[in-house]
Amino acid sequence: MATQNRQEDHGLVTVVLYAVGASIDQYIEACRILGVTQSNVPDGLILHTASTTDEGFLVLDVWESRKKFMAFQDRLHPVMVDVGLGSVEPKYYPTHFVMGSYAVPPMDPLKTNIFSD
């Protein structure tokens, strides 16, 4: 069906960014430059996760719309290049349901390094 491949500009969307070779330090620096903290999130961001992997760094977000993410991406992309993350192509997935609760207290990556020993 043609509509399955069409990218919508409205409705909830999950955005996945995968940066091969990236580190938690680059992520923290990007957050610092952007001024993104637990109390200062971009307009339209519903949920943000950031994870290290064996190959790099993975961000999985839920946004109010693709349009809201793309407005943030205008600021994000040059910062990612500046901190050495390169140009990461986001993947978009229509989101039909979001559920959960904080099992751990929210942490500010600029104030808390949860990866230190």
Side-chain angles (χ1 to χ4, degrees), residues 43-105:
D43 181 46
L45 179 63
I46 295 171
L47 173 72
H48 173 77
T49 67
S51 306
T52 55
T53 71
D54 290 340
E55 295 84 27
F57 205 76
L58 174 74
V59 169
L60 186 143
D61 289 346
V62 177
W63 288 79
E64 291 176 5
S65 68
R66 183 174 174 167
K67 183 177 181 178
K68 294 243 179 166
F69 170 75
M70 291 178 80
F72 176 66
Q73 188 181 26
D74 289 343
R75 290 179 44 221
L76 176 64
H77 184 265
V79 171
M80 289 178 68
V81 171
D82 286 349
V83 300
L85 293 172
S87 183
V88 177
E89 189 66 32
K91 294 189 185 285
Y92 303 94
Y93 303 94
T95 303
H96 306 286
F97 189 73
V98 178
M99 178 176 65
S101 63
Y102 275 115
V104 294

Side-chain angles (χ1 to χ4, degrees), residues 27 36-41 46-50 101-114:
Y27 166 79
V36 174
T37 65
Q38 183 69 27
S39 60
N40 185 34
V41 298
I46 295 171
L47 173 72
H48 173 77
T49 67
S101 63
Y102 275 115
V104 294
M107 295 180 207
D108 184 338
L110 302 181
K111 296 179 182 172
T112 306
N113 186 350
I114 61 173

